[in-house]
Amino acid sequence: MAGRSSAAVAGLTVAALAGIGFLAFQASASAPDHLTPAHHSGASPSPSSSAPPKGKGGPGKPGAQAAPAVPADSGTGRRVVYALDARRVWLVGEDGKARRSYEVTPSTVSPSPGSYAVTTRTETTPGSDGIAVVHVVRFALVEGVTIGFSAAQDGSTPAPDPQSRTGGVRESLKDAEAMWRFAPTGTKVVVVP
């Protein structure tokens, strides 16, 4: 009798573990690519990629939302375009078409509209706000503050402390990876109002 009870308990344990494993798989399959903290009143919205949310159509498909057009006053050729008021970046190919566009969280110190070039790049470093950042692409210096695109290593995109002087224009991790691949040293960066 004890042998049957042990076998029954073992069987139930195996079945329970299989059920837990299945539920864990389902949960991970439906989880978002990245987690963002909840917003509190007064907080700035998180940047979002130009990619449509899961379950929505891609470009030209039902449910898709097209990114705004590349600003007409941003020059020609291969370039990064940063629109200050729109809080948006475009990675523009040689043909003048956007390869990618996404929202960013601006820094407290911004460059003036104009043409710049990527001056330095760093894979990983502490940001000017003390948060570890990755894929840093620097392009301007304003009153001693270096301005560049980057992503927080933990994936967060909080609004910067308005009392601090920071130059990090924050991107999502996926967008920062795209910027890193697109913009080697010397790449033109055009800042528009």
Side-chain angles (χ1 to χ4, degrees), residues 146-172:
T146 302
I147 310 295
F149 303 105
S150 64
Q153 196 167 31
D154 65 5
S156 64
T157 54
D161 176 359
Q163 301 301 315
S164 64
R165 291 179 46 79
T166 60
V169 179
R170 289 291 162 81
E171 307 165 295
S172 73

Side-chain angles (χ1 to χ4, degrees), residues 10 25 30 32 40 47 52 79 87-88 101 111 180:
F25 171 76
S30 64
H40 301 289
R79 64 201 183 278
R87 298 178 174 201
R88 179 169 286 276
S101 179
W180 183 257

Side-chain angles (χ1 to χ4, degrees), residues 52 56-67:
K56 302 284 184 188
K61 297 181 183 173
Q65 289 185 337

Side-chain angles (χ1 to χ4, degrees), residues 55-145:
K56 302 284 184 188
K61 297 181 183 173
Q65 289 185 337
V70 176
D73 58 347
S74 67
T76 60
R78 190 175 189 283
R79 64 201 183 278
V80 173
V81 178
Y82 175 29
L84 298 171
D85 293 342
R87 298 178 174 201
R88 179 169 286 276
V89 166
W90 289 261
L91 306 181
V92 182
E94 194 64 46
D95 59 2
K97 294 182 181 176
R99 300 291 184 253
R100 185 180 188 101
S101 179
Y102 51 90
E103 292 179 356
V104 295
T105 302
S107 55
T108 60
V109 177
S110 294
S112 297
S115 186
Y116 301 85
V118 174
T119 55
T120 61
R121 295 167 22 115
T122 304
E123 182 65 37
T124 304
T125 190
S128 56
D129 58 3
I131 296 173
V133 293
V134 296
H135 302 312
V136 182
V137 177
R138 298 176 195 90
F139 64 93
L141 184 66
V142 177
E143 298 173 4
V145 177

